[in-house]
Amino acid sequence: MSFDLDLFVIGGGSGGVRAARIAAAEGGARVALAEEYRMGGTCVIRGCVPKKLMVYASAFPGQIADARGYGWDAAAGGFDWPRFRTALEAELDRLERAYRSGLTGAGVTIHDTRATVLDPHTVQLATGQTLTARHILIATGGTPFVPDVPGAELALTSNDIFRLEALPRSILIVGGGYIACEFACILNGLGVQVTQYYRGAQILRGFDDEARGHVADAMAAQGIDIHCGADVLRMERAPGGGARVEATNGTDRTFDAVLYATGRRPNSAGLGLEPLGVQFGRNGQILVDGYSQTAVPSIFAVGDVTDRIALTPVAIREGHAFADTVFKGTPRQADHDLVASAVFTQPELAAVGLTEEAARDREPIEVYVASFRPMQTLFAGRQDRALFKLIVAQGSRKVLGCHIVGPGAAEMIQMVAIAIKMGATKEDFDRTCAVHPTMAEELVTMKKPIRRS
Ligand code: NDP
């Protein structure tokens, strides 16, 4: 049977773009890709990239305050949000162009429109055109989820933050995950009065308990008003503007804006996949095997739409492994083990491997902790503390997990992840000479476990 194409990719985000590019440039495949919004997907257009630039923007008041501690006569002045937003949009345009030229340079045909699947080998574009392909890759990502509370239509999501006309004076952030905590710190740094409601007992569920507590304390010390065990009951438009919010903690308060950061859901509905026999999980995620293949052999899926690990580098690897498997004759599965991640709060939290809680359920462990005031901020008169934590298996001596809270934590964890991925033991860490004076030297100088369990 002959097809118009070897591969049709639906979705121009991290996973889809990588798969299309490798299949075309290295696999010699005839590839087309459809994207209904902007090329680059969540990471580039409304996620990691603009978020990180906002993290940088929000850090300046703290850095300028520190500069005074070092003898500089410095003051932050006012933050010009429209000026920042214009520069941000220009940068995103540049990145989008780079993604496009990367694809077209590899020989991929781009369709700037929505595509749906008609049968296991046919896609239909919103323009009405149909195309056949030997393989179809679904890489449609995810979308913010807002629970069905009365007044939910007043809620902003992370998609909206980058496009605000003006920064609000006050904001309620609902949720305690990556996005909620990152935006709480960003907006606080930019001068917005931030309140955060999280339904559970402690923010950042899934991370090491001690590290979560450390970040929560630091966020509160910076002036973020965190309420755990609190959720929104209802919202309504306040007479003077903003939203009036009644919450389960008995409060009734008005905020200029409310940001819901209550998770993301896979973008899998309405693609035409249900009647074809593609299987879905409880949250709408497309179920795939280790090779990212769905229950329909010609249809594959990668990235957030499969809800395995919702991180850009993971989607990229899944897309690459798919292209290697199907188009280069080198079958391989993306490796989801020991994936490091970082939450760009201030201070940053970064982790790889097991938390203390998960590790001690598995085997006897030792826990090494160093908590101290970093030289740089201590000198400036700040009270911030950094935390370094290693979880070590008593039997094999392998380092099972590392958790870092502090400036540069995300950069440091990338290096630690290599060692842990290689199976490094505590003794391997110990025989590595320290780099002095740094914070990271704590990783190789922690002598005695503070706990065994
Ligand atoms: P998360 O899953 O991290 O957090 C969702 C938060 O919303 C949790 O605190 C959850 O509470 C809460 N929540 C969920 N449903 C409800 C509800 N019905 N009512 C009230 N609260 C609710 O999702 P995010 O949206 O923050 O981020 C999505 C994913 O994107 C992340 O998991 C991560 O994989 C990725 N990401 C990564 C970043 C990075 O690498 N730095 C940055 C941003 C996103 P509970 O804990 O009780 O379930």
Side-chain angles (χ1 to χ4, degrees):
M1 191 170 168
S2 78
F3 299 100
D4 300 327
L5 298 159
D6 299 310
L7 173 66
F8 195 99
V9 179
I10 305 183
S14 304
V17 167
R18 173 60 68 95
R21 210 166 46 71
I22 299 300
E26 297 180 18
R30 297 165 303 153
V31 183
L33 180 149
E35 168 57 55
E36 64 180 335
Y37 185 52
R38 293 179 66 180
M39 199 62 71
T42 299
C43 170
V44 176
I45 303 299
R46 36 182 147 51
C48 321
V49 171
K51 179 276 304 289
K52 190 82 188 276
L53 291 167
M54 283 183 81
V55 169
Y56 290 135
S58 68
F60 284 105
Q63 290 164 359
I64 292 167
D66 285 356
R68 285 199 291 275
Y70 280 82
W72 289 92
D73 186 11
F79 176 63
D80 187 340
W81 167 254
R83 196 162 96 214
F84 170 78
R85 206 191 49 191
T86 304
L88 180 65
E89 280 163 8
E91 176 60 4
L92 301 187
D93 287 347
R94 185 188 71 78
L95 288 169
E96 189 178 359
R97 281 195 301 276
Y99 266 73
R100 281 181 178 282
S101 61
L103 281 170
T104 50
V108 177
T109 306
I110 298 173
H111 297 279
D112 289 299
T113 186
R114 183 172 172 77
T116 50
V117 183
L118 284 184
D119 69 42
H121 294 287
T122 311
V123 293
Q124 177 161 44
L125 305 182
T127 56
Q129 185 185 1
T130 58
L131 288 159
T132 59
R134 186 177 300 279
H135 299 285
I136 296 171
L137 178 69
I138 311 295
T140 45
T143 192
F145 158 76
V146 177
D148 190 18
V149 288
E153 68 282 358
L154 297 177
L156 301 171
T157 69
S158 57
N159 286 354
D160 305 310
I161 290 288
F162 309 111
R163 296 192 300 242
L164 288 174
E165 285 301 318
L167 286 181
R169 274 164 308 161
S170 65
I171 194 164
L172 170 66
I173 298 182
V174 184
Y178 281 82
I179 297 178
C181 294
E182 288 180 346
F183 276 109
C185 294
I186 289 169
L187 293 170
N188 180 60
L190 294 178
V192 179
Q193 207 182 319
V194 178
T195 304
Q196 188 176 354
Y197 288 173
Y198 170 53
R199 64 182 179 181
Q202 180 59 283
I203 58 170
L204 294 168
R205 185 168 64 81
F207 285 91
D208 185 89
D209 279 353
E210 208 162 7
R212 297 160 75 191
H214 202 98
V215 175
D217 286 352
M219 286 170 62
Q222 287 163 32
I224 297 168
D225 187 16
I226 302 181
H227 298 256
C228 289
D231 206 356
V232 172
L233 282 173
R234 63 187 64 84
M235 297 189 284
E236 61 182 26
R237 204 171 290 284
R244 180 182 157 199
V245 180
E246 280 180 61
T248 54
N249 59 1
T251 56
D252 180 346
R253 295 174 60 183
T254 298
F255 303 91
D256 278 356
V258 179
L259 168 67
Y260 261 77
T262 41
R264 295 173 60 84
R265 291 285 182 274
N267 240 336
S268 60
L271 291 168
L273 298 170
E274 291 85 350
L276 307 183
V278 171
Q279 302 291 303
F280 298 88
R282 209 167 138 246
N283 286 331
Q285 72 271 34
I286 296 177
L287 300 181
V288 291
D289 67 11
Y291 293 99
S292 298
Q293 190 169 29
T294 71
V296 178
S298 60
I299 302 179
F300 291 71
V302 295
D304 288 6
V305 76
T306 63
D307 200 18
R308 285 175 280 181
I309 302 178
L311 296 173
T312 297
V314 175
I316 290 172
R317 283 173 171 249
E318 289 168 358
H320 204 132
F322 155 78
D324 283 352
T325 301
V326 176
F327 296 103
K328 290 178 65 185
T330 46
R332 65 181 182 91
Q333 304 191 1
D335 181 358
H336 294 97
D337 190 32
L338 288 172
V339 173
S341 78
V343 190
F344 292 95
T345 39
Q346 289 162 30
E348 288 174 7
L349 162 61
V352 61
L354 296 178
T355 63
E356 178 179 347
E357 298 72 41
R360 74 173 172 230
D361 283 348
R362 267 186 25 175
E363 61 186 298
I365 55 164
E366 289 178 349
V367 178
Y368 294 81
V369 173
S371 175
F372 57 95
R373 294 169 67 190
M375 177 202 258
Q376 185 183 354
T377 44
L378 174 67
F379 187 83
R382 273 208 249 169
Q383 298 303 312
D384 306 24
R385 295 189 75 81
L387 176 81
F388 285 76
K389 183 166 177 179
L390 292 178
I391 315 297
V392 178
Q394 284 188 26
S396 67
R397 303 300 299 153
K398 280 192 178 172
V399 179
L400 302 174
C402 176
H403 309 273
I404 305 176
V405 181
E411 302 289 346
M412 288 185 264
I413 209 73
Q414 183 68 81
M415 303 298 146
V416 180
I418 298 171
I420 295 186
K421 192 87 184 160
M422 291 175 75
T425 61
K426 177 69 170 69
E427 286 62 37
D428 291 325
F429 274 62
D430 291 348
R431 66 192 171 80
T432 306
C433 193
V435 179
H436 183 74
T438 64
M439 288 193 300
E441 65 186 302
E442 297 296 332
L443 289 165
V444 296
T445 54
M446 288 188 270
K447 291 287 174 254
K448 283 204 162 60
I450 61 152
R451 285 188 287 282
R452 284 194 171 85
S453 53

